[in-house]
């Protein structure tokens, strides 16, 4: 059997897109500064309050720029933002190691936050539209799942390499490696295909794109639900991830063992990403089942407070990562191309704000109990989300919406 001429270029186009995407996702997270930048801040003499304020700068930058950058991507070019973002991060990392000081760190976090905002929404929109153009929109879940897995693999690789590179050349060496990864990421982004009918930001530009996109959300109840599902699924477990070292240490293992058990949890999340292609057509009931199962695994695994039970936490994180990809798929299916990046960024903004809330609530719970108890408590929102999904299912079924 031979392929028809029409399918050959489409297959080649999908391969080009996915190869670029996987390389971009890996390089974007292959940052050797990740495991050691807190040490750089401390060695420079920053207080705990100053370090915390740097994280605030990072978060607030993303919150403020998330939606405008998405609207800009819809009005101009997604590929432009995808290669511009890593260049900003490269400048920030270079400042950190060349002129280590509070204000250099703050500027670096501002640039890093801007980079995150530029990529959020633009990447998903570009990939979905290009797959649709190539007649392969059904592959979106599998492709984005693999892309997320590539990013997680890059983080694990960076964690493994940071130690020996730091021992060889200190902060300048890990900083230089991080800058090179950013430059390679920007170079890779220039290979993304982008075949859009209008890239000139016609009309009133990004402000009009944002206004029209939000008007569409107000009119379409199913779109609102898909938009809200993204932060409901992603915000809690992505915030909990910051506290996993404390959860692991409370199981009684030695400090030197903590990184290895963290790799187990990261491996669980990576497996969840890879399952997205197989589970891409799960309906509402299936997604609710994934959330419920992951919530139970999180509650039991964390409450047990044993190293072996952390396998259940890894299983939970895999379920949550899978659900995060599936929530994005449901959103992309309900968006039109004119405001795709804009509304994906609105969902990202919701995730950012919800994550900040989770940080505060976690501190309130963990300050009065063990980390294991706090993790178990935060399994409850996922059960609530699963119930709400099932309650809304009859309405969606009557409208023919999956």
């Amino acid at each position: 059997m031979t392929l028809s001429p029409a399918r050959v270029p489409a297959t080649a186009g999908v391969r080009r897109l996915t190869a670029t995407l996987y390389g971009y996702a890996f390089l974007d997270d292959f940052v050797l500064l990740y495991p050691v930048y807190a040490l750089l801040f401390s060695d420079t003499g920053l207080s705990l309050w100053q370090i915390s304020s740097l994280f605030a700068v990072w978060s607030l930058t993303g919150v403020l720029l998330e939606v405008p950058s998405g609207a800009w991507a819809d009005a101009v070019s997604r590929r432009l933002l995808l290669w511009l973002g890593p260049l900003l991060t490269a400048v920030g990392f270079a400042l950190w190691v060349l002129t280590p000081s509070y204000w250099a760190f703050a500027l670096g976090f501002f640039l890093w936050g801007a980079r995150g905002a530029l990529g959020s929404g633009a990447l998903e929109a570009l990939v979905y539209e290009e797959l649709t153009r190539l007649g392969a929109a059904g592959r979106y879940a599998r492709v984005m799942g693999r892309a997320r897995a590539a990013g997680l693999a890059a983080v694990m690789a960076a964690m493994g390499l940071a130690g020996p590179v730091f021992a060889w050349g200190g902060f300048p060496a890990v900083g230089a490696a991080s800058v090179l990864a950013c430059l390679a990421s920007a170079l890779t982004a220039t290979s993304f295909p982008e075949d859009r009918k209008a890239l000139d930001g016609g009309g009133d530009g990004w402000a009009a794109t944002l206004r029209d996109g939000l008007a569409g959300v107000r009119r379409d109840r199913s779109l609102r639900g898909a938009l809200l599902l993204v932060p409901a699924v992603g915000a809690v477990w992505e915030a909990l991830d910051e506290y996993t070292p404390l959860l692991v240490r409370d199981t009684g293992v030695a400090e030197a063992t903590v990184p290895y058990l963290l790799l187990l949890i990261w491996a669980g999340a990576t497996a969840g990403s890879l399952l997205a292609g197989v589970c891409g057509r799960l309906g509402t009931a299936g997604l609710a089942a994934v959330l419920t199962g992951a919530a139970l695994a999180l509650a039991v695994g964390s409450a047990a407070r044993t190293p072996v039970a952390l396998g259940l936490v890894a299983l939970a994180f895999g379920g949550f990562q899978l659900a995060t990809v599936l929530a994005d798929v449901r959103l992309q299916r309900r968006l039109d191309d004119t405001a795709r990046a804009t509304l994906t960024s609105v969902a990202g903004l919701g995730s950012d704000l919800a994550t900040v809330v989770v940080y505060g609530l976690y501190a309130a719970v963990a300050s009065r109990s063990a980390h294991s108890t706090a993790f178990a408590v935060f399994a409850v929102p996922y059960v609530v989300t699963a119930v709400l999904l099932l309650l809304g299912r009859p309405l969606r079924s009557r409208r023919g919406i999956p």
Side-chain angles (χ1 to χ4, degrees):
M1 184 178 77
T2 58
L3 292 176
S4 65
R7 290 190 61 186
V8 174
T11 301
V14 171
R15 288 176 178 171
R16 175 194 172 191
L17 172 64
T18 55
T20 303
L21 174 63
Y22 300 153
Y24 181 80
F26 184 90
L27 291 168
D28 197 43
D29 280 320
F30 188 62
V31 179
L32 271 63
L33 272 170
Y34 280 162
V36 299
Y37 65 68
L39 301 178
L40 173 61
F41 302 158
S42 180
D43 290 354
T44 306
L46 269 61
S47 66
L48 182 59
W49 181 90
Q50 288 175 310
I51 294 175
S52 297
S53 69
L54 292 176
F55 293 148
V57 170
W58 191 13
S59 298
L60 289 174
T61 302
V63 168
L64 292 174
L65 298 181
E66 180 82 39
V67 176
S69 66
W72 186 26
D74 278 327
V76 189
S77 166
R78 284 78 183 266
R79 183 171 55 198
L80 169 65
L81 271 62
L82 292 176
W83 67 255
L84 176 61
L87 296 181
L88 298 180
T89 315
V91 172
F93 290 159
L95 287 173
W96 284 7
V97 294
L98 293 177
T99 60
S101 64
Y102 176 82
W103 293 110
F105 297 147
L107 179 56
F109 267 123
F110 173 81
L111 293 173
W112 198 353
R115 182 265 168 278
L118 290 177
S120 176
L123 181 64
E124 294 86 348
L126 185 147
V127 173
Y128 191 87
E129 289 181 14
E130 288 301 312
L131 286 174
T132 300
R133 181 178 64 83
L134 295 168
R139 301 187 191 183
Y140 179 77
R142 179 174 60 186
V143 168
M144 291 306 294
R146 290 178 177 179
R148 289 175 182 267
L152 293 170
V155 172
M156 291 188 284
M159 291 173 65
L161 288 175
V165 172
F166 182 79
W168 172 72
F171 290 118
V174 294
S178 300
V179 170
L180 288 175
C182 293
L183 295 177
S185 179
L187 180 62
T188 302
T190 62
S191 297
F192 273 119
E194 186 176 39
D195 184 11
R196 299 177 66 200
K197 294 180 179 179
L199 294 174
D200 59 358
D204 296 325
W206 69 265
T209 303
L210 174 58
R211 184 173 60 250
D212 294 343
L214 293 177
V217 173
R218 289 193 295 270
R219 291 191 301 266
D220 189 339
R221 183 176 178 179
S222 69
L223 178 55
R224 284 201 304 275
L227 203 65
L228 291 172
L229 183 63
V230 172
V233 170
V236 175
W237 80 271
E238 290 176 358
L240 291 180
D241 177 60
E242 301 295 336
Y243 302 101
T244 49
L246 303 176
L247 176 70
V248 172
R249 187 176 63 183
D250 280 1
T251 63
V253 299
E255 294 280 348
T257 308
V258 171
Y260 299 107
L261 291 175
L262 288 177
L263 285 176
L264 171 65
I265 296 175
W266 280 93
T270 303
S273 291
L274 294 175
L275 286 172
V278 177
C279 303
R281 295 190 178 277
L282 278 180
T284 299
L287 180 56
V290 169
L291 290 173
T292 302
L296 292 175
L298 178 65
V300 174
S302 56
R305 300 185 68 176
T306 65
V308 174
L310 291 175
L312 287 174
V313 177
L315 179 63
F317 272 47
F320 294 142
Q321 176 67 81
L322 170 61
T324 299
V325 177
L326 296 182
D328 174 50
V329 172
R330 291 165 71 92
L331 176 62
Q332 297 303 327
R333 287 173 178 169
R334 288 164 171 79
L335 295 175
D336 62 60
D337 293 347
T338 58
R340 185 176 301 279
T342 302
L343 295 182
T344 304
S345 291
V346 170
L349 174 61
S351 295
D352 292 340
L353 293 174
T355 299
V356 173
V357 173
V358 174
Y359 286 148
L361 293 175
Y362 186 95
V365 174
S367 63
R368 294 173 174 81
S369 61
H371 291 286
S372 56
T373 302
F375 269 70
V377 167
F378 280 99
V380 175
Y382 286 108
V383 177
V384 174
T385 299
V387 170
L388 292 176
L389 277 172
L390 293 176
L391 289 176
R393 189 183 177 197
L395 176 62
R396 285 190 294 271
S397 298
R398 288 196 299 270
R399 295 183 176 184
I401 299 171

